[in-house]
PDB file of all heavy atoms in Angstrom:
ATOM      1  N   PRO A   4       7.836   7.795  39.158  1.00 34.00           N
ATOM      2  CA  PRO A   4       9.006   8.172  39.944  1.00 34.00           C
ATOM      3  C   PRO A   4       8.795   9.497  40.647  1.00 34.00           C
ATOM      4  O   PRO A   4       8.116  10.393  40.159  1.00 34.00           O
ATOM      5  CB  PRO A   4      10.119   8.260  38.888  1.00 34.00           C
ATOM      6  CG  PRO A   4       9.636   7.440  37.749  1.00 34.00           C
ATOM      7  CD  PRO A   4       8.153   7.548  37.754  1.00 34.00           C
ATOM      8  N   GLU A   5       9.416   9.643  41.800  1.00 37.00           N
ATOM      9  CA  GLU A   5       9.226  10.830  42.632  1.00 37.00           C
ATOM     10  C   GLU A   5       9.567  12.123  41.889  1.00 37.00           C
ATOM     11  O   GLU A   5       8.884  13.120  42.032  1.00 37.00           O
ATOM     12  CB  GLU A   5      10.089  10.717  43.896  1.00 37.00           C
ATOM     13  CG  GLU A   5       9.543   9.723  44.903  1.00 37.00           C
ATOM     14  CD  GLU A   5       8.227  10.189  45.519  1.00 37.00           C
ATOM     15  OE1 GLU A   5       8.071  11.403  45.718  1.00 37.00           O
ATOM     16  OE2 GLU A   5       7.368   9.352  45.795  1.00 37.00           O
ATOM     17  N   ASN A   6      10.653  12.074  41.102  1.00 40.00           N
ATOM     18  CA  ASN A   6      11.101  13.337  40.508  1.00 40.00           C
ATOM     19  C   ASN A   6      10.203  13.805  39.372  1.00 40.00           C
ATOM     20  O   ASN A   6      10.466  14.818  38.762  1.00 40.00           O
ATOM     21  CB  ASN A   6      12.544  13.213  39.998  1.00 40.00           C
ATOM     22  CG  ASN A   6      12.665  12.294  38.798  1.00 40.00           C
ATOM     23  OD1 ASN A   6      11.851  11.401  38.615  1.00 40.00           O
ATOM     24  ND2 ASN A   6      13.693  12.506  38.002  1.00 40.00           N
ATOM     25  N   ARG A   7       9.147  13.039  39.105  1.00 44.00           N
ATOM     26  CA  ARG A   7       8.233  13.483  38.062  1.00 44.00           C
ATOM     27  C   ARG A   7       6.904  13.965  38.632  1.00 44.00           C
ATOM     28  O   ARG A   7       6.018  14.358  37.921  1.00 44.00           O
ATOM     29  CB  ARG A   7       7.955  12.333  37.084  1.00 44.00           C
ATOM     30  CG  ARG A   7       9.153  12.055  36.196  1.00 44.00           C
ATOM     31  CD  ARG A   7       8.816  10.988  35.211  1.00 44.00           C
ATOM     32  NE  ARG A   7      10.014  10.674  34.434  1.00 44.00           N
ATOM     33  CZ  ARG A   7      10.166   9.553  33.773  1.00 44.00           C
ATOM     34  NH1 ARG A   7       9.256   8.641  33.800  1.00 44.00           N
ATOM     35  NH2 ARG A   7      11.260   9.344  33.100  1.00 44.00           N
ATOM     36  N   HIS A   8       6.703  13.852  39.911  1.00 52.00           N
ATOM     37  CA  HIS A   8       5.416  14.196  40.482  1.00 52.00           C
ATOM     38  C   HIS A   8       5.261  15.703  40.591  1.00 52.00           C
ATOM     39  O   HIS A   8       6.137  16.391  41.078  1.00 52.00           O
ATOM     40  CB  HIS A   8       5.273  13.556  41.867  1.00 52.00           C
ATOM     41  CG  HIS A   8       3.850  13.402  42.270  1.00 52.00           C
ATOM     42  ND1 HIS A   8       3.061  14.480  42.610  1.00 52.00           N
ATOM     43  CD2 HIS A   8       3.065  12.306  42.386  1.00 52.00           C
ATOM     44  CE1 HIS A   8       1.851  14.047  42.927  1.00 52.00           C
ATOM     45  NE2 HIS A   8       1.819  12.741  42.801  1.00 52.00           N
ATOM     46  N   PRO A   9       4.127  16.273  40.126  1.00 55.00           N
ATOM     47  CA  PRO A   9       3.969  17.728  40.173  1.00 55.00           C
ATOM     48  C   PRO A   9       4.026  18.310  41.586  1.00 55.00           C
ATOM     49  O   PRO A   9       4.332  19.489  41.755  1.00 55.00           O
ATOM     50  CB  PRO A   9       2.589  17.949  39.526  1.00 55.00           C
ATOM     51  CG  PRO A   9       1.955  16.622  39.394  1.00 55.00           C
ATOM     52  CD  PRO A   9       3.023  15.605  39.435  1.00 55.00           C
ATOM     53  N   GLN A  10       3.737  17.519  42.626  1.00 79.00           N
ATOM     54  CA  GLN A  10       3.825  18.045  43.986  1.00 79.00           C
ATOM     55  C   GLN A  10       5.260  18.358  44.396  1.00 79.00           C
ATOM     56  O   GLN A  10       5.490  19.010  45.418  1.00 79.00           O
ATOM     57  CB  GLN A  10       3.184  17.067  44.967  1.00 79.00           C
ATOM     58  CG  GLN A  10       1.657  17.004  44.828  1.00 79.00           C
ATOM     59  CD  GLN A  10       1.020  16.067  45.826  1.00 79.00           C
ATOM     60  OE1 GLN A  10       1.710  15.340  46.537  1.00 79.00           O
ATOM     61  NE2 GLN A  10      -0.309  16.070  45.868  1.00 79.00           N
ATOM     62  N   ASN A  11       6.229  17.875  43.618  1.00 87.00           N
ATOM     63  CA  ASN A  11       7.622  18.243  43.889  1.00 87.00           C
ATOM     64  C   ASN A  11       7.821  19.757  43.820  1.00 87.00           C
ATOM     65  O   ASN A  11       8.700  20.309  44.478  1.00 87.00           O
ATOM     66  CB  ASN A  11       8.561  17.572  42.883  1.00 87.00           C
ATOM     67  CG  ASN A  11       8.768  16.102  43.222  1.00 87.00           C
ATOM     68  OD1 ASN A  11       8.238  15.612  44.206  1.00 87.00           O
ATOM     69  ND2 ASN A  11       9.519  15.415  42.385  1.00 87.00           N
ATOM     70  N   LEU A  12       7.014  20.433  42.996  1.00 91.00           N
ATOM     71  CA  LEU A  12       7.109  21.889  42.922  1.00 91.00           C
ATOM     72  C   LEU A  12       6.771  22.512  44.274  1.00 91.00           C
ATOM     73  O   LEU A  12       7.470  23.417  44.739  1.00 91.00           O
ATOM     74  CB  LEU A  12       6.172  22.425  41.836  1.00 91.00           C
ATOM     75  CG  LEU A  12       6.024  23.951  41.803  1.00 91.00           C
ATOM     76  CD1 LEU A  12       7.355  24.623  41.498  1.00 91.00           C
ATOM     77  CD2 LEU A  12       4.961  24.365  40.790  1.00 91.00           C
ATOM     78  N   GLU A  13       5.711  22.022  44.880  1.00 89.00           N
ATOM     79  CA  GLU A  13       5.318  22.576  46.171  1.00 89.00           C
ATOM     80  C   GLU A  13       6.369  22.301  47.231  1.00 89.00           C
ATOM     81  O   GLU A  13       6.642  23.147  48.091  1.00 89.00           O
ATOM     82  CB  GLU A  13       3.952  22.011  46.565  1.00 89.00           C
ATOM     83  CG  GLU A  13       2.857  22.447  45.597  1.00 89.00           C
ATOM     84  CD  GLU A  13       1.515  21.800  45.881  1.00 89.00           C
ATOM     85  OE1 GLU A  13       1.364  21.204  46.969  1.00 89.00           O
ATOM     86  OE2 GLU A  13       0.618  21.906  45.026  1.00 89.00           O
ATOM     87  N   ALA A  14       7.000  21.127  47.139  1.00 90.00           N
ATOM     88  CA  ALA A  14       8.081  20.821  48.080  1.00 90.00           C
ATOM     89  C   ALA A  14       9.261  21.753  47.865  1.00 90.00           C
ATOM     90  O   ALA A  14       9.912  22.190  48.831  1.00 90.00           O
ATOM     91  CB  ALA A  14       8.515  19.365  47.908  1.00 90.00           C
ATOM     92  N   SER A  15       9.546  22.093  46.604  1.00 92.00           N
ATOM     93  CA  SER A  15      10.644  23.004  46.285  1.00 92.00           C
ATOM     94  C   SER A  15      10.368  24.394  46.843  1.00 92.00           C
ATOM     95  O   SER A  15      11.254  25.036  47.417  1.00 92.00           O
ATOM     96  CB  SER A  15      10.849  23.073  44.764  1.00 92.00           C
ATOM     97  OG  SER A  15      11.814  24.030  44.418  1.00 92.00           O
ATOM     98  N   LEU A  16       9.134  24.868  46.696  1.00 92.00           N
ATOM     99  CA  LEU A  16       8.770  26.181  47.234  1.00 92.00           C
ATOM    100  C   LEU A  16       8.818  26.175  48.757  1.00 92.00           C
ATOM    101  O   LEU A  16       9.272  27.151  49.375  1.00 92.00           O
ATOM    102  CB  LEU A  16       7.371  26.573  46.737  1.00 92.00           C
ATOM    103  CG  LEU A  16       7.240  26.827  45.227  1.00 92.00           C
ATOM    104  CD1 LEU A  16       5.774  26.975  44.845  1.00 92.00           C
ATOM    105  CD2 LEU A  16       8.020  28.061  44.816  1.00 92.00           C
ATOM    106  N   LYS A  17       8.375  25.085  49.336  1.00 91.00           N
ATOM    107  CA  LYS A  17       8.401  24.975  50.803  1.00 91.00           C
ATOM    108  C   LYS A  17       9.825  25.032  51.324  1.00 91.00           C
ATOM    109  O   LYS A  17      10.103  25.592  52.395  1.00 91.00           O
ATOM    110  CB  LYS A  17       7.729  23.673  51.231  1.00 91.00           C
ATOM    111  CG  LYS A  17       7.600  23.508  52.734  1.00 91.00           C
ATOM    112  CD  LYS A  17       6.856  22.219  53.069  1.00 91.00           C
ATOM    113  CE  LYS A  17       6.721  22.064  54.586  1.00 91.00           C
ATOM    114  NZ  LYS A  17       6.014  20.796  54.940  1.00 91.00           N
ATOM    115  N   ALA A  23      12.672  26.891  39.944  1.00 94.00           N
ATOM    116  CA  ALA A  23      12.303  25.504  39.674  1.00 94.00           C
ATOM    117  C   ALA A  23      11.963  25.360  38.198  1.00 94.00           C
ATOM    118  O   ALA A  23      11.415  26.290  37.584  1.00 94.00           O
ATOM    119  CB  ALA A  23      11.122  25.082  40.539  1.00 94.00           C
ATOM    120  N   ASN A 201      17.402  22.623  39.327  1.00 92.00           N
ATOM    121  CA  ASN A 201      16.267  22.184  40.152  1.00 92.00           C
ATOM    122  C   ASN A 201      15.106  21.757  39.250  1.00 92.00           C
ATOM    123  O   ASN A 201      14.130  22.486  39.063  1.00 92.00           O
ATOM    124  CB  ASN A 201      15.841  23.314  41.095  1.00 92.00           C
ATOM    125  CG  ASN A 201      14.761  22.869  42.067  1.00 92.00           C
ATOM    126  OD1 ASN A 201      14.638  21.678  42.369  1.00 92.00           O
ATOM    127  ND2 ASN A 201      13.982  23.826  42.567  1.00 92.00           N
ATOM    128  N   LEU A 202      15.215  20.564  38.688  1.00 91.00           N
ATOM    129  CA  LEU A 202      14.165  20.005  37.828  1.00 91.00           C
ATOM    130  C   LEU A 202      13.141  19.299  38.721  1.00 91.00           C
ATOM    131  O   LEU A 202      13.405  18.221  39.253  1.00 91.00           O
ATOM    132  CB  LEU A 202      14.770  19.021  36.814  1.00 91.00           C
ATOM    133  CG  LEU A 202      13.803  18.372  35.821  1.00 91.00           C
ATOM    134  CD1 LEU A 202      13.205  19.427  34.887  1.00 91.00           C
ATOM    135  CD2 LEU A 202      14.521  17.297  35.007  1.00 91.00           C
ATOM    136  N   VAL A 203      11.982  19.900  38.891  1.00 91.00           N
ATOM    137  CA  VAL A 203      10.994  19.342  39.817  1.00 91.00           C
ATOM    138  C   VAL A 203      10.001  18.420  39.131  1.00 91.00           C
ATOM    139  O   VAL A 203       9.263  17.676  39.785  1.00 91.00           O
ATOM    140  CB  VAL A 203      10.217  20.464  40.540  1.00 91.00           C
ATOM    141  CG1 VAL A 203      11.162  21.287  41.403  1.00 91.00           C
ATOM    142  CG2 VAL A 203       9.459  21.349  39.544  1.00 91.00           C
ATOM    143  N   MET A 204       9.959  18.458  37.798  1.00 89.00           N
ATOM    144  CA  MET A 204       9.063  17.552  37.085  1.00 89.00           C
ATOM    145  C   MET A 204       9.598  17.316  35.687  1.00 89.00           C
ATOM    146  O   MET A 204      10.026  18.259  35.005  1.00 89.00           O
ATOM    147  CB  MET A 204       7.643  18.134  37.005  1.00 89.00           C
ATOM    148  CG  MET A 204       6.648  17.230  36.295  1.00 89.00           C
ATOM    149  SD  MET A 204       4.994  17.949  36.277  1.00 89.00           S
ATOM    150  CE  MET A 204       4.127  16.746  35.262  1.00 89.00           C
TER     151      MET A 204
END
Side-chain angles (χ1 to χ4, degrees):
E5 286 292 325
N6 69 334
R7 287 183 184 160
H8 203 289
Q10 290 182 352
N11 283 359
L12 171 63
E13 296 175 13
S15 175
L16 294 171
K17 185 177 180 181
N201 186 25
L202 181 65
V203 296
M204 181 178 175

